Amino acid sequence: MSDDHRIPLPRHAVPAPGLRDFYENPAVPVASGPSRTLRQARMLARALGPAGASGPRTVLDVGCGDGTAAATAAPLLRGHRLIGVDWSQDALARARTRLPYAVRGELGGGGLPFASGAADAVLFSEVLEHLVDPDAALDEIRRVLRPGGHLMLSTPNLAAWYNRALLLAGVQPVFSEVSLRSVHGRPGAEVVGHLRLYTARALREFVAASGFAVVALEGAPFHGVPRVLRPLDRLACAAPSLASILLLHARRT
């Protein structure tokens, strides 16, 4: 099972070259599920409104990967300026085939290549779970957002409905990983490099503590769920605390 794309890693927080090598490996999945991507894009479009009413807004897709998520959002954000940002050169090469603007940047070290308050919104899709230092990452995102700017964050749900059953059975939850080399003790076959996982409550509290006001939390299905279980997975989205993917909308305070 995989839900992820390439991400920018905080330079000061990476313990060894091996982790960087992992994310630069073209074999590591870089695309996320279309349902999550479309739901998140709709949330952002509602938050920004049409470009004609207020002029174009600058939207950064931080951790844009191959550009699939931003390209999916683009038709819903016509008139707004969409910029992909990633650390991986391999991912950026692919993103530039889908996006008019894609630049290299990191969440740590020298920071993102944008002035403070330069962005009206940040897409932060399936990135948080990969970071060694998520606190520093949200600090940097808060820096580049203008006051009142929008953060659209998505991440897998540790307490997804099937993970609750798996834990009761003594099975490693989906999305969690114990190795960068192979899968152990959980369903699925792909290693995607998750370091941290959040429940709905933990995600709300973490984002609020980082200087954001949480506006909404919604659920999205996971494309890796077996086909026979997908109706249940879609149904679980009505209760975000049970959903596969958490979609959080917050505003910079």
Side-chain angles (χ1 to χ4, degrees):
M1 292 187 178
S2 167
D3 65 321
D4 302 274
H5 48 66
R6 268 349 127 76
I7 60 173
L9 293 173
R11 182 184 293 113
H12 66 280
V14 178
L19 192 56
R20 281 182 173 274
D21 294 341
F22 174 82
Y23 289 116
E24 193 65 74
N25 182 354
V28 174
V30 299
S32 187
S35 181
R36 189 277 304 159
T37 298
L38 189 56
R39 288 178 186 229
Q40 191 174 35
R42 286 170 177 162
M43 289 175 70
L44 179 56
R46 289 195 301 268
L48 289 180
S54 56
R57 302 294 180 89
T58 298
V59 180
L60 306 181
D61 184 0
V62 177
C64 67
D66 64 2
T68 299
T72 300
L76 301 178
L77 301 173
R78 294 190 188 281
H80 295 301
R81 185 182 303 107
L82 191 56
I83 303 173
V85 187
D86 208 285
W87 166 80
S88 167
Q89 296 284 20
D90 175 74
L92 284 173
R94 288 187 257 180
R96 286 170 181 143
T97 66
R98 297 181 171 95
L99 302 174
Y101 307 105
V103 300
R104 194 172 191 274
E106 301 196 38
L107 287 167
L112 296 172
F114 303 97
S116 297
D120 297 287
V122 167
L123 278 170
F124 200 46
S125 307
E126 317 300 306
V127 178
L128 193 65
E129 63 271 17
H130 296 266
L131 300 180
V132 175
D133 190 350
D135 302 274
L138 284 196
D139 286 347
E140 180 62 4
I141 287 174
R142 189 174 186 276
R143 181 190 69 80
V144 300
L145 275 173
R146 63 168 175 80
H150 303 276
L151 169 63
M152 296 290 174
L153 184 157
S154 68
T155 192
N157 184 9
L158 174 61
W161 60 276
Y162 42 81
N163 277 347
R164 299 182 186 216
L166 290 173
L167 278 170
L168 284 174
V171 177
Q172 187 82 7
V174 174
F175 308 124
S176 65
E177 295 188 317
V178 298
S179 170
L180 291 179
R181 297 178 180 176
S182 57
V183 172
H184 301 287
R186 68 159 172 82
E190 290 182 312
V191 179
V192 291
H194 291 175
L195 303 179
R196 299 180 183 276
L197 291 176
Y198 299 79
T199 64
R201 179 177 178 177
L203 185 64
R204 280 180 175 272
E205 292 183 3
F206 171 62
V207 171
S210 300
F212 294 86
V214 176
V215 177
L217 182 68
E218 299 183 14
F222 174 42
H223 65 277
V225 168
R227 186 175 299 275
V228 67
L229 297 177
R230 289 179 186 175
L232 284 176
D233 197 40
R234 289 192 294 269
L235 186 63
C237 294
S241 63
L242 297 174
S244 287
I245 306 296
L246 300 172
L247 304 177
L248 183 138
H249 172 203
R251 301 195 72 169
R252 181 194 184 280
T253 56

